[in-house]
Amino acid sequence: LIGIAENNPDQAVANVHRFEKHCVADEDIAAQIPGSYRQEMKFYLAKGYHQLGDKDSARKSYADCALGGETAVGIKCAQTLRALR
């Protein structure tokens, strides 16, 4: 995600919120989005919050990401969540 790559967590959080508002909230578009991509976006949201110092939002987003399944991203989210507790 551009915001994370450029060390701009505000932009990363805003980008994920736009994705949720304009893609996930639209039933037709949401039906075409793989679950793994949604999980990855939750990871970037959590990472953005974490970099901003918003630990509560980061924990919630990491937890949501970890619930997405036993993928590499889900495992990374679960590990990071445990480290934040």
Side-chain angles (χ1 to χ4, degrees):
L1 198 64
I2 293 171
I4 297 295
E6 294 178 352
N7 198 27
N8 186 346
D10 287 318
Q11 182 181 4
V13 169
N15 287 343
V16 175
H17 284 296
R18 273 193 292 281
F19 166 75
E20 291 171 344
K21 179 179 179 181
H22 297 289
C23 300
V24 176
D26 183 304
E27 289 182 23
D28 294 329
I29 295 172
Q32 300 175 45
I33 302 169
S36 60
Y37 189 76
R38 290 183 193 198
Q39 187 179 37
E40 188 175 349
M41 294 300 282
K42 289 176 185 179
F43 169 74
Y44 287 123
L45 180 62
K47 191 170 180 178
Y49 281 136
H50 194 178
Q51 289 178 354
L52 288 169
D54 185 346
K55 302 292 191 232
D56 290 336
S57 294
R59 282 185 195 97
K60 182 185 180 323
S61 296
Y62 281 126
D64 289 345
C65 172
L67 292 174
E70 288 295 317
T71 64
V73 174
I75 291 167
K76 187 185 295 186
C77 287
Q79 290 170 339
T80 307
L81 178 61
R82 280 192 298 274
L84 280 177
R85 290 186 178 184

